[in-house]
Amino acid sequence: MEAEAYRAYCLQSVAAVYDLVLITSEEPTWEVPYLRDCVVVSDPADQAALSAAGRMLAERHDLAGVFTWTEWYLVAVARLARQLGLPTTAPEAMRACRNKATSRALFARHGVPSATSVSVRTLAEAEEAAQRVGYPLVLKPAAHAASIGVIRADTPDQLTAAFAFADRAAGLGRESTSVLVEEYLDGPEVSVECVSYRGETTVVAVTRKTVSAPPFFEELAHCVDAADPLLDVVTPVARAAIRALGITDGVSHVEMRLVDGRPRLVEVNGRIGGDMIGHLVRLATGVDLPRAAADIACGRAPDLTPTRSSAAAIRLLYPDTSGTLDHLAYEGDRPPWLERIHFQHHVGDDLLLPADGGDMFTARIGYLITTGPAADVAQARAEQALGSVGIHIAPRTADGSTRDRAA
């Protein structure tokens, strides 16, 4: 997925205040205007390589802090900060975030409302766990992200294929290669955007989510409203979850579902939320989460004072079928409330939905962001703008040929 389209706002924000040096897996391109220096390593998640790169940069510069917004690097970056004597949440807490089985155990120990969860490695173990958990249930990799490998099974007949789907993704995990068999939390999904500094956590915003129909959990839309009444409902549980995991410093993206109106934890991500959620937070509240993350990494108290009270929404663009993209254009006017529109796939690209073996990287076409005085207005505007996006797919058929379909 295009890093510039989803993370440039982070670099822009931090570079406005700090001199930036970057450790990355490939030669920088769009990042260059924001950087003072850079070291390229083959895999920043490799602790030895990351530590060597960090020491190299520490010899060249007076480093004040280190942080990441990339899920796969959380543990390694926390260890690097420790090695360099810089502020950080403990690496053990980051490992607990990355391993959802560990998270569930800590939530249970500290009385944080979560889901029944059993860690398994084989289909036989999954079948046994399913009898304990009950249907419908969710299977997911213990250490992955972005809803990759997450699937619902409603009956025993669906379990074999669902386990295989989750297990393929779980095999790519670093902190764990296990699959979790979990209770399905039936209710609307939200995320809570939190900032922790020296053990004190502030809830900055709530993000309401729209997810795809079962059995997959692709996120289709997000909306942030500075005046969301759910803030009071979710704040105690989000803080309790962060405390249970041992997170003391940094920005967290806490996912939960509201079951009968009560929050139940899905997971805690020890970084800024993806899908431009940090940008939505700034549009709606004025609070700058990337700047807050950088300040905390440097041992400075972040400024979390809201300067706006409005709403912002993002609509993530997906095809309704796998196939070849043969037309894509925004065909309407650009009203001032359409903050941005981005296409990450192009005519001629093949799109593969999760049902056909793909994921968000192979299926998502792009996104559009809208603003408004309140959530309902921002969301209605997103739907209006979506109506001006022309998408035409030549779907795949059983014999491998294509036929036309417009969206």
Side-chain angles (χ1 to χ4, degrees), residues 390-402:
I391 301 172
H392 196 272
I393 305 291
R396 297 171 28 165
T397 62
D399 62 3
S401 62
T402 59

Side-chain angles (χ1 to χ4, degrees), residues 91-308:
E92 294 77 14
M94 291 295 97
R95 282 188 63 86
C97 287
R98 287 289 301 129
N99 188 334
K100 297 177 179 64
T102 303
S103 296
R104 293 287 189 220
L106 288 170
F107 295 156
R109 184 184 307 167
H110 291 271
V112 180
S114 181
T116 302
S117 180
V118 181
S119 180
V120 303
R121 291 190 175 275
T122 66
L123 175 60
E125 291 177 356
E127 290 171 338
E128 181 180 350
Q131 293 178 5
R132 296 160 54 190
V133 173
Y135 290 91
L137 53 79
V138 176
L139 295 98
K140 65 175 66 171
H144 223 301
S147 299
I148 295 172
V150 183
I151 188 168
R152 192 173 105 179
D154 292 342
T155 65
D157 291 343
Q158 297 175 1
L159 187 65
T160 300
F163 175 80
F165 179 83
D167 191 49
R168 280 194 298 273
L172 302 175
R174 287 181 179 269
E175 290 78 12
S176 173
T177 56
S178 295
V179 171
L180 301 184
V181 178
E182 296 196 336
E183 169 191 8
Y184 173 64
L185 300 178
D186 191 2
E189 185 171 343
V190 302
S191 63
V192 188
E193 319 314 328
C194 302
V195 178
S196 301
Y197 177 63
R198 296 184 177 178
E200 294 295 324
T201 295
T202 300
V203 170
V204 173
V206 176
T207 305
R208 304 225 187 192
K209 300 177 177 293
T210 302
V211 299
S212 61
F216 304 106
F217 293 84
E218 293 298 320
E219 296 183 345
L220 305 180
H222 308 287
C223 185
V224 176
D225 189 328
D228 197 314
L230 279 180
L231 280 164
D232 291 339
V233 176
V234 301
T235 290
V237 177
R239 285 176 172 163
I242 287 171
R243 198 162 47 242
L245 294 174
I247 296 173
T248 57
D249 296 276
V251 176
S252 300
H253 174 68
V254 181
E255 299 181 2
M256 57 181 71
R257 283 197 169 214
L258 303 175
V259 180
D260 297 325
R262 297 185 180 91
R264 302 273 299 277
L265 257 294
V266 174
E267 63 189 44
V268 174
N269 302 282
R271 39 106 183 141
I272 297 169
D275 290 347
M276 299 293 287
I277 287 174
H279 185 59
L280 299 185
V281 169
R282 188 171 187 180
L283 289 173
T285 71
V287 176
D288 188 336
L289 290 179
R291 168 70 186 276
D295 287 341
I296 293 166
C298 295
R300 300 176 180 176
D303 182 0
L304 304 178
T305 306
T307 58
R308 301 175 190 165

Side-chain angles (χ1 to χ4, degrees), residues 8-83:
Y9 80 93
C10 295
L11 274 186
Q12 290 168 356
S13 172
V14 179
V17 182
Y18 294 97
D19 290 332
L20 291 181
V21 295
L22 179 69
I23 301 173
T24 183
S25 60
E26 55 190 33
E27 287 293 334
T29 53
W30 62 270
E31 304 99 330
V32 169
Y34 307 111
L35 302 179
R36 184 173 176 183
D37 200 353
C38 176
V39 174
V40 178
V41 298
S42 59
D43 181 7
D46 181 284
Q47 191 67 60
L50 184 70
S51 297
R55 289 192 297 270
M56 187 182 303
L57 287 171
E59 292 173 357
R60 299 177 190 171
H61 308 281
D62 181 15
L63 299 184
V66 56
F67 79 104
T68 183
W69 49 71
T70 301
E71 179 75 19
W72 327 115
Y73 307 157
L74 288 172
V75 177
V77 168
R79 288 174 175 159
L80 174 61
R82 277 278 177 87
Q83 292 165 0

Side-chain angles (χ1 to χ4, degrees), residues 12 338 370:
Q12 290 168 356
L338 179 54
T370 54

